Amino acid sequence: DGSWIVLDELNLASQSVLEGLNACLDHRGEVYIPELNKTFKCSPKKFRLFACQNPLHQGGGRKGLPKSFLNRFTRVYTSALTFRDLSIILENKFPDAPARILEQMISFNDVLNDKIFRQRLFGHGCGDINLRDMFRWCELLRTNHGAGTWDPAAVVDIVYMRRMRKPSDAEHVARVFQHVFDAPPHGFTTR
């Protein structure tokens, strides 16, 4: 019926899900859903399937999909979001947010990513730091502060610092925050 189906993080799917998709995409052209006890026809002329995945080196638990499975798709690679991309996204999603604070939040996220994932200075095992974190941070600020009175120092610990496995890593995050915002996170002093 012309539907589009998006499967996000496909390389985190279980083997049974991948086998079901394979049946849908191969000569059988159908998938059986045992929970519904029903078989669905999957004519490529009637729907489009988009399978997404992040690079294997990002996050935990990602596995490489078999080449035979990947060959069923057209591969499209995208670059990481730029500072300008992030600005446009956040300004549109949070139009009441002070522009200067959004810029600082993006800078903080970028510096933190650089120190944790590129330089590998601290934060081992803390998971990805990405646009979702920026959304969480902004949502917390929008919920807890009025328009124009955002205070990122009030909730940075919830989004970033508490994810660190070691207290010394949380201190590194606080130092990065102080460097970018020229003030420490609330309730935290840096050396």
mmCIF file of all heavy atoms in Angstrom, residues 92-133:
data_model
loop_
_atom_site.group_PDB
_atom_site.id
_atom_site.type_symbol
_atom_site.label_atom_id
_atom_site.label_comp_id
_atom_site.label_asym_id
_atom_site.label_seq_id
_atom_site.Cartn_x
_atom_site.Cartn_y
_atom_site.Cartn_z
ATOM 1 N N ASN A 92 15.263 25.033 16.319
ATOM 2 C CA ASN A 92 13.907 24.741 15.834
ATOM 3 C C ASN A 92 13.091 23.941 16.837
ATOM 4 O O ASN A 92 11.890 24.145 16.961
ATOM 5 C CB ASN A 92 13.970 24.011 14.486
ATOM 6 C CG ASN A 92 14.225 24.970 13.354
ATOM 7 O OD1 ASN A 92 13.353 25.724 12.969
ATOM 8 N ND2 ASN A 92 15.450 24.975 12.855
ATOM 9 N N LYS A 93 13.729 23.037 17.543
ATOM 10 C CA LYS A 93 13.008 22.222 18.527
ATOM 11 C C LYS A 93 12.747 23.009 19.808
ATOM 12 O O LYS A 93 11.742 22.780 20.486
ATOM 13 C CB LYS A 93 13.795 20.952 18.830
ATOM 14 C CG LYS A 93 13.033 19.991 19.732
ATOM 15 C CD LYS A 93 13.571 18.597 19.620
ATOM 16 C CE LYS A 93 12.935 17.639 20.573
ATOM 17 N NZ LYS A 93 11.549 17.336 20.310
ATOM 18 N N PHE A 94 13.639 23.934 20.156
ATOM 19 C CA PHE A 94 13.518 24.723 21.388
ATOM 20 C C PHE A 94 13.623 26.216 21.055
ATOM 21 O O PHE A 94 14.625 26.859 21.393
ATOM 22 C CB PHE A 94 14.610 24.302 22.388
ATOM 23 C CG PHE A 94 14.577 22.838 22.714
ATOM 24 C CD1 PHE A 94 15.411 21.948 22.052
ATOM 25 C CD2 PHE A 94 13.695 22.347 23.659
ATOM 26 C CE1 PHE A 94 15.375 20.596 22.336
ATOM 27 C CE2 PHE A 94 13.649 20.983 23.947
ATOM 28 C CZ PHE A 94 14.492 20.111 23.280
ATOM 29 N N PRO A 95 12.614 26.769 20.386
ATOM 30 C CA PRO A 95 12.706 28.156 19.928
ATOM 31 C C PRO A 95 12.792 29.189 21.053
ATOM 32 O O PRO A 95 13.269 30.299 20.819
ATOM 33 C CB PRO A 95 11.426 28.342 19.101
ATOM 34 C CG PRO A 95 10.505 27.272 19.563
ATOM 35 C CD PRO A 95 11.357 26.134 20.023
ATOM 36 N N ASP A 96 12.354 28.850 22.268
ATOM 37 C CA ASP A 96 12.415 29.794 23.385
ATOM 38 C C ASP A 96 13.761 29.773 24.103
ATOM 39 O O ASP A 96 13.996 30.593 24.989
ATOM 40 C CB ASP A 96 11.311 29.486 24.404
ATOM 41 C CG ASP A 96 9.923 29.745 23.843
ATOM 42 O OD1 ASP A 96 9.816 30.534 22.881
ATOM 43 O OD2 ASP A 96 8.962 29.145 24.347
ATOM 44 N N ALA A 97 14.621 28.856 23.732
ATOM 45 C CA ALA A 97 15.921 28.750 24.408
ATOM 46 C C ALA A 97 16.823 29.904 23.986
ATOM 47 O O ALA A 97 16.856 30.274 22.814
ATOM 48 C CB ALA A 97 16.584 27.432 24.053
ATOM 49 N N PRO A 98 17.562 30.465 24.937
ATOM 50 C CA PRO A 98 18.519 31.524 24.587
ATOM 51 C C PRO A 98 19.597 30.971 23.646
ATOM 52 O O PRO A 98 20.217 29.928 23.929
ATOM 53 C CB PRO A 98 19.122 31.921 25.931
ATOM 54 C CG PRO A 98 18.134 31.447 26.962
ATOM 55 C CD PRO A 98 17.503 30.232 26.379
ATOM 56 N N ALA A 99 19.801 31.633 22.519
ATOM 57 C CA ALA A 99 20.738 31.158 21.493
ATOM 58 C C ALA A 99 22.149 30.967 22.051
ATOM 59 O O ALA A 99 22.822 29.982 21.730
ATOM 60 C CB ALA A 99 20.760 32.118 20.311
ATOM 61 N N ARG A 100 22.599 31.883 22.879
ATOM 62 C CA ARG A 100 23.960 31.796 23.437
ATOM 63 C C ARG A 100 24.114 30.537 24.300
ATOM 64 O O ARG A 100 25.137 29.861 24.249
ATOM 65 C CB ARG A 100 24.279 33.057 24.256
ATOM 66 C CG ARG A 100 25.600 33.014 24.970
ATOM 67 C CD ARG A 100 26.765 33.107 23.988
ATOM 68 N NE ARG A 100 28.022 33.015 24.707
ATOM 69 C CZ ARG A 100 29.032 32.228 24.361
ATOM 70 N NH1 ARG A 100 28.936 31.490 23.279
ATOM 71 N NH2 ARG A 100 30.125 32.187 25.061
ATOM 72 N N ILE A 101 23.100 30.213 25.066
ATOM 73 C CA ILE A 101 23.169 29.015 25.911
ATOM 74 C C ILE A 101 23.179 27.761 25.048
ATOM 75 O O ILE A 101 23.935 26.824 25.317
ATOM 76 C CB ILE A 101 22.025 29.005 26.944
ATOM 77 C CG1 ILE A 101 22.307 30.078 27.996
ATOM 78 C CG2 ILE A 101 21.863 27.635 27.589
ATOM 79 C CD1 ILE A 101 21.249 30.235 29.054
ATOM 80 N N LEU A 102 22.367 27.729 23.985
ATOM 81 C CA LEU A 102 22.394 26.573 23.087
ATOM 82 C C LEU A 102 23.777 26.395 22.471
ATOM 83 O O LEU A 102 24.284 25.273 22.371
ATOM 84 C CB LEU A 102 21.339 26.710 21.988
ATOM 85 C CG LEU A 102 19.885 26.531 22.399
ATOM 86 C CD1 LEU A 102 18.959 26.720 21.190
ATOM 87 C CD2 LEU A 102 19.648 25.172 23.039
ATOM 88 N N GLU A 103 24.407 27.504 22.083
ATOM 89 C CA GLU A 103 25.768 27.430 21.521
ATOM 90 C C GLU A 103 26.743 26.846 22.532
ATOM 91 O O GLU A 103 27.581 26.007 22.188
ATOM 92 C CB GLU A 103 26.239 28.819 21.081
ATOM 93 C CG GLU A 103 25.540 29.349 19.854
ATOM 94 C CD GLU A 103 25.920 30.802 19.558
ATOM 95 O OE1 GLU A 103 26.861 31.340 20.189
ATOM 96 O OE2 GLU A 103 25.268 31.398 18.688
ATOM 97 N N GLN A 104 26.646 27.279 23.777
ATOM 98 C CA GLN A 104 27.530 26.756 24.818
ATOM 99 C C GLN A 104 27.265 25.276 25.069
ATOM 100 O O GLN A 104 28.201 24.494 25.277
ATOM 101 C CB GLN A 104 27.358 27.546 26.117
ATOM 102 C CG GLN A 104 27.944 28.947 26.051
ATOM 103 C CD GLN A 104 27.630 29.728 27.307
ATOM 104 O OE1 GLN A 104 26.470 29.919 27.667
ATOM 105 N NE2 GLN A 104 28.687 30.174 27.982
ATOM 106 N N MET A 105 25.997 24.885 25.056
ATOM 107 C CA MET A 105 25.657 23.484 25.273
ATOM 108 C C MET A 105 26.219 22.610 24.150
ATOM 109 O O MET A 105 26.743 21.513 24.403
ATOM 110 C CB MET A 105 24.138 23.319 25.388
ATOM 111 C CG MET A 105 23.555 23.937 26.652
ATOM 112 S SD MET A 105 21.748 24.046 26.649
ATOM 113 C CE MET A 105 21.308 22.327 26.859
ATOM 114 N N ILE A 106 26.135 23.089 22.923
ATOM 115 C CA ILE A 106 26.694 22.347 21.792
ATOM 116 C C ILE A 106 28.209 22.266 21.916
ATOM 117 O O ILE A 106 28.805 21.201 21.701
ATOM 118 C CB ILE A 106 26.278 23.000 20.451
ATOM 119 C CG1 ILE A 106 24.766 22.892 20.260
ATOM 120 C CG2 ILE A 106 27.021 22.358 19.281
ATOM 121 C CD1 ILE A 106 24.216 23.761 19.142
ATOM 122 N N SER A 107 28.845 23.368 22.288
ATOM 123 C CA SER A 107 30.303 23.364 22.484
ATOM 124 C C SER A 107 30.704 22.380 23.572
ATOM 125 O O SER A 107 31.664 21.618 23.421
ATOM 126 C CB SER A 107 30.806 24.762 22.856
ATOM 127 O OG SER A 107 30.659 25.633 21.776
ATOM 128 N N PHE A 108 29.975 22.391 24.688
ATOM 129 C CA PHE A 108 30.248 21.464 25.782
ATOM 130 C C PHE A 108 30.145 20.020 25.294
ATOM 131 O O PHE A 108 31.033 19.198 25.533
ATOM 132 C CB PHE A 108 29.259 21.707 26.933
ATOM 133 C CG PHE A 108 29.302 20.656 28.001
ATOM 134 C CD1 PHE A 108 30.299 20.665 28.958
ATOM 135 C CD2 PHE A 108 28.346 19.647 28.042
ATOM 136 C CE1 PHE A 108 30.350 19.690 29.946
ATOM 137 C CE2 PHE A 108 28.379 18.676 29.021
ATOM 138 C CZ PHE A 108 29.383 18.692 29.978
ATOM 139 N N ASN A 109 29.073 19.699 24.588
ATOM 140 C CA ASN A 109 28.870 18.347 24.069
ATOM 141 C C ASN A 109 30.018 17.951 23.142
ATOM 142 O O ASN A 109 30.528 16.829 23.198
ATOM 143 C CB ASN A 109 27.534 18.304 23.325
ATOM 144 C CG ASN A 109 26.905 16.941 23.308
ATOM 145 O OD1 ASN A 109 26.618 16.375 24.344
ATOM 146 N ND2 ASN A 109 26.692 16.414 22.114
ATOM 147 N N ASP A 110 30.444 18.885 22.288
ATOM 148 C CA ASP A 110 31.524 18.616 21.337
ATOM 149 C C ASP A 110 32.859 18.391 22.050
ATOM 150 O O ASP A 110 33.583 17.449 21.736
ATOM 151 C CB ASP A 110 31.632 19.766 20.336
ATOM 152 C CG ASP A 110 32.580 19.425 19.206
ATOM 153 O OD1 ASP A 110 32.439 18.334 18.615
ATOM 154 O OD2 ASP A 110 33.467 20.251 18.918
ATOM 155 N N VAL A 111 33.184 19.248 23.009
ATOM 156 C CA VAL A 111 34.445 19.097 23.756
ATOM 157 C C VAL A 111 34.433 17.790 24.533
ATOM 158 O O VAL A 111 35.429 17.058 24.567
ATOM 159 C CB VAL A 111 34.682 20.303 24.700
ATOM 160 C CG1 VAL A 111 35.860 20.052 25.626
ATOM 161 C CG2 VAL A 111 34.902 21.575 23.887
ATOM 162 N N LEU A 112 33.305 17.470 25.144
ATOM 163 C CA LEU A 112 33.194 16.224 25.905
ATOM 164 C C LEU A 112 33.383 15.010 24.986
ATOM 165 O O LEU A 112 34.128 14.085 25.318
ATOM 166 C CB LEU A 112 31.820 16.167 26.579
ATOM 167 C CG LEU A 112 31.699 15.338 27.835
ATOM 168 C CD1 LEU A 112 32.701 15.767 28.896
ATOM 169 C CD2 LEU A 112 30.287 15.427 28.385
ATOM 170 N N ASN A 113 32.740 15.024 23.843
ATOM 171 C CA ASN A 113 32.931 13.947 22.863
ATOM 172 C C ASN A 113 34.392 13.806 22.471
ATOM 173 O O ASN A 113 34.914 12.696 22.372
ATOM 174 C CB ASN A 113 32.091 14.205 21.608
ATOM 175 C CG ASN A 113 30.834 13.401 21.590
ATOM 176 O OD1 ASN A 113 30.846 12.219 21.889
ATOM 177 N ND2 ASN A 113 29.733 14.044 21.254
ATOM 178 N N ASP A 114 35.049 14.933 22.231
ATOM 179 C CA ASP A 114 36.453 14.907 21.843
ATOM 180 C C ASP A 114 37.315 14.268 22.933
ATOM 181 O O ASP A 114 38.131 13.395 22.661
ATOM 182 C CB ASP A 114 36.948 16.325 21.539
ATOM 183 C CG ASP A 114 38.392 16.326 21.084
ATOM 184 O OD1 ASP A 114 38.671 15.729 20.029
ATOM 185 O OD2 ASP A 114 39.232 16.912 21.803
ATOM 186 N N LYS A 115 37.118 14.684 24.163
ATOM 187 C CA LYS A 115 37.941 14.183 25.264
ATOM 188 C C LYS A 115 37.654 12.710 25.597
ATOM 189 O O LYS A 115 38.565 11.969 25.933
ATOM 190 C CB LYS A 115 37.775 15.062 26.499
ATOM 191 C CG LYS A 115 38.373 16.448 26.320
ATOM 192 C CD LYS A 115 38.339 17.251 27.582
ATOM 193 C CE LYS A 115 38.962 18.606 27.398
ATOM 194 N NZ LYS A 115 40.380 18.574 27.110
ATOM 195 N N ILE A 116 36.390 12.305 25.478
ATOM 196 C CA ILE A 116 36.021 10.928 25.838
ATOM 197 C C ILE A 116 36.262 9.955 24.691
ATOM 198 O O ILE A 116 36.858 8.892 24.889
ATOM 199 C CB ILE A 116 34.549 10.860 26.304
ATOM 200 C CG1 ILE A 116 34.392 11.582 27.640
ATOM 201 C CG2 ILE A 116 34.084 9.410 26.424
ATOM 202 C CD1 ILE A 116 32.961 11.687 28.133
ATOM 203 N N PHE A 117 35.847 10.302 23.481
ATOM 204 C CA PHE A 117 35.875 9.326 22.395
ATOM 205 C C PHE A 117 37.047 9.468 21.439
ATOM 206 O O PHE A 117 37.509 8.475 20.897
ATOM 207 C CB PHE A 117 34.549 9.351 21.628
ATOM 208 C CG PHE A 117 33.392 8.985 22.506
ATOM 209 C CD1 PHE A 117 32.489 9.946 22.927
ATOM 210 C CD2 PHE A 117 33.228 7.684 22.956
ATOM 211 C CE1 PHE A 117 31.434 9.610 23.757
ATOM 212 C CE2 PHE A 117 32.182 7.339 23.791
ATOM 213 C CZ PHE A 117 31.280 8.304 24.191
ATOM 214 N N ARG A 118 37.533 10.682 21.221
ATOM 215 C CA ARG A 118 38.670 10.835 20.308
ATOM 216 C C ARG A 118 39.993 10.742 21.064
ATOM 217 O O ARG A 118 40.884 10.012 20.667
ATOM 218 C CB ARG A 118 38.540 12.140 19.530
ATOM 219 C CG ARG A 118 37.440 12.082 18.473
ATOM 220 C CD ARG A 118 37.375 13.325 17.593
ATOM 221 N NE ARG A 118 36.674 14.462 18.182
ATOM 222 C CZ ARG A 118 35.368 14.647 18.166
ATOM 223 N NH1 ARG A 118 34.594 13.756 17.593
ATOM 224 N NH2 ARG A 118 34.812 15.697 18.701
ATOM 225 N N GLN A 119 40.099 11.486 22.162
ATOM 226 C CA GLN A 119 41.341 11.466 22.934
ATOM 227 C C GLN A 119 41.376 10.325 23.956
ATOM 228 O O GLN A 119 42.437 9.971 24.445
ATOM 229 C CB GLN A 119 41.545 12.798 23.655
ATOM 230 C CG GLN A 119 41.711 13.980 22.725
ATOM 231 C CD GLN A 119 41.907 15.268 23.510
ATOM 232 O OE1 GLN A 119 42.615 15.304 24.511
ATOM 233 N NE2 GLN A 119 41.270 16.329 23.046
ATOM 234 N N ARG A 120 40.209 9.811 24.332
ATOM 235 C CA ARG A 120 40.081 8.719 25.313
ATOM 236 C C ARG A 120 40.761 9.055 26.649
ATOM 237 O O ARG A 120 41.468 8.242 27.228
ATOM 238 C CB ARG A 120 40.620 7.411 24.749
ATOM 239 C CG ARG A 120 39.889 6.964 23.503
ATOM 240 C CD ARG A 120 40.298 5.558 23.093
ATOM 241 N NE ARG A 120 39.619 5.124 21.906
ATOM 242 C CZ ARG A 120 38.381 4.636 21.867
ATOM 243 N NH1 ARG A 120 37.691 4.529 22.955
ATOM 244 N NH2 ARG A 120 37.838 4.262 20.725
ATOM 245 N N LEU A 121 40.507 10.269 27.139
ATOM 246 C CA LEU A 121 41.131 10.739 28.372
ATOM 247 C C LEU A 121 40.413 10.244 29.622
ATOM 248 O O LEU A 121 41.021 10.070 30.675
ATOM 249 C CB LEU A 121 41.191 12.272 28.389
ATOM 250 C CG LEU A 121 42.032 12.913 27.285
ATOM 251 C CD1 LEU A 121 41.931 14.427 27.356
ATOM 252 C CD2 LEU A 121 43.486 12.457 27.395
ATOM 253 N N PHE A 122 39.111 10.044 29.538
ATOM 254 C CA PHE A 122 38.300 9.609 30.682
ATOM 255 C C PHE A 122 36.949 9.134 30.160
ATOM 256 O O PHE A 122 36.695 9.173 28.961
ATOM 257 C CB PHE A 122 38.126 10.736 31.714
ATOM 258 C CG PHE A 122 37.436 11.959 31.171
ATOM 259 C CD1 PHE A 122 36.057 12.086 31.234
ATOM 260 C CD2 PHE A 122 38.163 12.991 30.595
ATOM 261 C CE1 PHE A 122 35.412 13.201 30.719
ATOM 262 C CE2 PHE A 122 37.531 14.122 30.092
ATOM 263 C CZ PHE A 122 36.146 14.225 30.153
ATOM 264 N N GLY A 123 36.090 8.677 31.072
ATOM 265 C CA GLY A 123 34.719 8.322 30.716
ATOM 266 C C GLY A 123 34.558 7.000 29.995
ATOM 267 O O GLY A 123 33.561 6.786 29.311
ATOM 268 N N HIS A 124 35.500 6.092 30.164
ATOM 269 C CA HIS A 124 35.403 4.798 29.491
ATOM 270 C C HIS A 124 34.138 4.061 29.929
ATOM 271 O O HIS A 124 33.866 3.933 31.108
ATOM 272 C CB HIS A 124 36.645 3.952 29.787
ATOM 273 C CG HIS A 124 37.921 4.665 29.462
ATOM 274 N ND1 HIS A 124 38.286 4.954 28.156
ATOM 275 C CD2 HIS A 124 38.885 5.181 30.244
ATOM 276 C CE1 HIS A 124 39.436 5.615 28.170
ATOM 277 N NE2 HIS A 124 39.815 5.769 29.429
ATOM 278 N N GLY A 125 33.354 3.607 28.962
ATOM 279 C CA GLY A 125 32.147 2.856 29.254
ATOM 280 C C GLY A 125 30.930 3.696 29.608
ATOM 281 O O GLY A 125 29.938 3.162 30.093
ATOM 282 N N CYS A 126 30.976 4.999 29.352
ATOM 283 C CA CYS A 126 29.837 5.860 29.719
ATOM 284 C C CYS A 126 28.754 5.876 28.647
ATOM 285 O O CYS A 126 27.713 6.484 28.826
ATOM 286 C CB CYS A 126 30.314 7.281 30.012
ATOM 287 S SG CYS A 126 30.826 8.201 28.553
ATOM 288 N N GLY A 127 28.976 5.202 27.533
ATOM 289 C CA GLY A 127 27.992 5.197 26.454
ATOM 290 C C GLY A 127 28.184 6.390 25.535
ATOM 291 O O GLY A 127 29.049 7.232 25.752
ATOM 292 N N ASP A 128 27.379 6.441 24.493
ATOM 293 C CA ASP A 128 27.463 7.535 23.524
ATOM 294 C C ASP A 128 27.039 8.858 24.145
ATOM 295 O O ASP A 128 26.204 8.898 25.040
ATOM 296 C CB ASP A 128 26.532 7.274 22.337
ATOM 297 C CG ASP A 128 26.983 6.122 21.465
ATOM 298 O OD1 ASP A 128 28.171 5.792 21.511
ATOM 299 O OD2 ASP A 128 26.150 5.576 20.739
ATOM 300 N N ILE A 129 27.602 9.921 23.635
ATOM 301 C CA ILE A 129 27.161 11.279 23.972
ATOM 302 C C ILE A 129 26.763 11.890 22.640
ATOM 303 O O ILE A 129 27.594 12.042 21.752
ATOM 304 C CB ILE A 129 28.280 12.067 24.672
ATOM 305 C CG1 ILE A 129 28.551 11.431 26.023
ATOM 306 C CG2 ILE A 129 27.913 13.536 24.796
ATOM 307 C CD1 ILE A 129 29.678 12.052 26.790
ATOM 308 N N ASN A 130 25.464 12.197 22.500
ATOM 309 C CA ASN A 130 24.975 12.573 21.184
ATOM 310 C C ASN A 130 23.804 13.553 21.264
ATOM 311 O O ASN A 130 23.540 14.125 22.321
ATOM 312 C CB ASN A 130 24.590 11.314 20.411
ATOM 313 C CG ASN A 130 23.620 10.447 21.183
ATOM 314 O OD1 ASN A 130 22.702 10.952 21.831
ATOM 315 N ND2 ASN A 130 23.812 9.145 21.120
ATOM 316 N N LEU A 131 23.103 13.688 20.157
ATOM 317 C CA LEU A 131 21.989 14.628 20.065
ATOM 318 C C LEU A 131 20.883 14.302 21.071
ATOM 319 O O LEU A 131 20.249 15.207 21.609
ATOM 320 C CB LEU A 131 21.434 14.631 18.632
ATOM 321 C CG LEU A 131 20.284 15.578 18.327
ATOM 322 C CD1 LEU A 131 20.670 17.028 18.609
ATOM 323 C CD2 LEU A 131 19.832 15.411 16.878
ATOM 324 N N ARG A 132 20.676 13.023 21.363
ATOM 325 C CA ARG A 132 19.649 12.659 22.354
ATOM 326 C C ARG A 132 19.955 13.297 23.707
ATOM 327 O O ARG A 132 19.053 13.700 24.428
ATOM 328 C CB ARG A 132 19.572 11.138 22.507
ATOM 329 C CG ARG A 132 18.808 10.473 21.412
ATOM 330 C CD ARG A 132 18.610 8.986 21.723
ATOM 331 N NE ARG A 132 18.639 8.253 20.485
ATOM 332 C CZ ARG A 132 19.638 7.488 20.073
ATOM 333 N NH1 ARG A 132 20.688 7.301 20.820
ATOM 334 N NH2 ARG A 132 19.572 6.866 18.928
ATOM 335 N N ASP A 133 21.228 13.359 24.069
ATOM 336 C CA ASP A 133 21.607 13.990 25.333
ATOM 337 C C ASP A 133 21.290 15.480 25.309
ATOM 338 O O ASP A 133 20.822 16.039 26.302
ATOM 339 C CB ASP A 133 23.096 13.781 25.617
ATOM 340 C CG ASP A 133 23.437 12.319 25.753
ATOM 341 O OD1 ASP A 133 22.796 11.635 26.570
ATOM 342 O OD2 ASP A 133 24.335 11.858 25.034
#
